[in-house]
Amino acid sequence: MAVSPKRARVMARSRRLGHCICDPRQACPCEAFRQHDVCHCAGERLPQAGGRPVLTQLVQSPGCASKVPPGELARILGRLPAVEDPRLLVGSATLDDAGVFQVSPDLCLVQTVDVFTPCVDDPYAFGRIAAANSLSDVYAMGGTPLTALTILSYPVHEVAEEVVAELLRGGLDQLQEAGVTPTGGHSINEAELKLGFAVTGLVAPAEMVTNAGARPGEALLLTKPLGTGIIAFAGQLGRASPAARAAAVASMTMLNRAAAEIMRRAGARACTDVTGFGLLGHLSHLVRESGVSAEVWWEAVPWLTEAWRYAEEGLVSGAAERNREYVEGRLQVAAGVPEAALDLLCDPQTSGGLLFSLPAAAAEACVAELRAAGCEQAALIGRVTELREGSIQVTSRTMPNDTPTPALEPPAPPAEACCAAAPAAPATSDAGQAFQQFMATALRPGALDVVQKELITIALSVCGQCEPCLKTHLAKALAMGLTPEEIAEAAWLGVAFGGAKAMMFWKGLEHLARNKEAVSGVE
Ligand code: CO
Ligand code: CO
Ligand code: CO
């Protein structure tokens, strides 16, 4: 690289200071200079490697979304004074999609901002998705978006200008399709690429649709299939098929504009869009604010191509897990609802569909209208019910409505170390206590993880023919998600070393490995 006058000037200054002038924590000459003969301070860049960067690889914790956990945010907001202004019709307290501020008797501003990390690798598609996602909150309030400000951050030394231009072009094209005028924006040089929009829309106070208007007996409609989070996660692991990725991109780039128009015309009373908290998370806000309960018919919920299979394969991200915890307290799950259905119902969505309630009589026509308008998988997915304990029930549509559904299985209590299951050592026995302590130490994860250790305890329990030990560890192993096949293989190793007596012992108890209830019922 030829030495430019700019570099000569900048380097002279940096070397005199002993520090890089754009990052004083670095000495000058910096690492990039010594390795690549590039001076960032002089505006030089590493030549881009051929081809496009893989956008999702720039994300630092892709499995965790980029959101602050909802509980933490609520605690922080709780420490701040409430906003007292009669013109603020919808503020942050109600967990609605956007703020609504009344400017005249018949006009309100609807305002929202959303910024997030790439969920797809194509910059143009990501731009369109980010815009569709931000606009969606205005649509969910029954509003019409008017203007948008762009918010963009990226590491300037790493992402090429062409890529950034593509991102923004995607965003602008989407805004144009929505009839929204871009009014400016803000950009930041930062380690992580993020894009979003602050959108302002308008709504008449009488036409505003919040999350607080749902009434018992109403139908619940969803306008887009679920599964964008699961497919993005599978993609990051290189396990999503091109067809699944294409279906997810098509769904995420689709505006909720037409769906919102149909929703308003059909007389919807409550609406939200399904995004980071997953369908159950956003529905939990809606039932809470409306003072109602809801029933979700899992078989009626639409999924994206292959999302169900990925959920069954366990391709579920940490963010989905947090959403599950978030709703667990108000969730009742009927017997027989597959685990994959719950994973999908908790899957964080990017630019998901609208979820709304409307008078049941209008539901069927509304679904037909949505499908004709391009929401091909729009569906009636449940109903609003009277407030009762456990605000959301996930059930089968064919179940009689008033059968009380069993509560979700409580998490297994932490199992004790092996010999706690044997006749309890009296507290006065020092040796007994010491042995239990030793046991707990031996079982702690170290070079072997807890799952490996659990399988070893099963083999040893069989080999040593300790029935209480085996029962305790079978319960623990099943609660960890070990399969009956894995457990049996470990047990047969115990038989191999324990001989015929160990085999008779295992034969007498092996049915327990196939029956979770039987095992957790022992003790
Ligand atoms: Co420098
Ligand atoms: Co929203
Ligand atoms: Co939002």
Side-chain angles (χ1 to χ4, degrees), residues 67 96-98 112-114 133-134 136-137 273 275 282:
K67 279 205 159 181
D96 223 317
D97 296 296
T112 177
V113 56
D114 256 316
N133 185 72
S134 298
S136 176
D137 280 330
D273 61 340
T275 53
H282 290 282

Side-chain angles (χ1 to χ4, degrees), residues 497-508:
F497 285 80
K501 274 179 78 187
M503 181 177 75
M504 298 314 288
F505 171 79
W506 171 242
K507 285 275 186 193

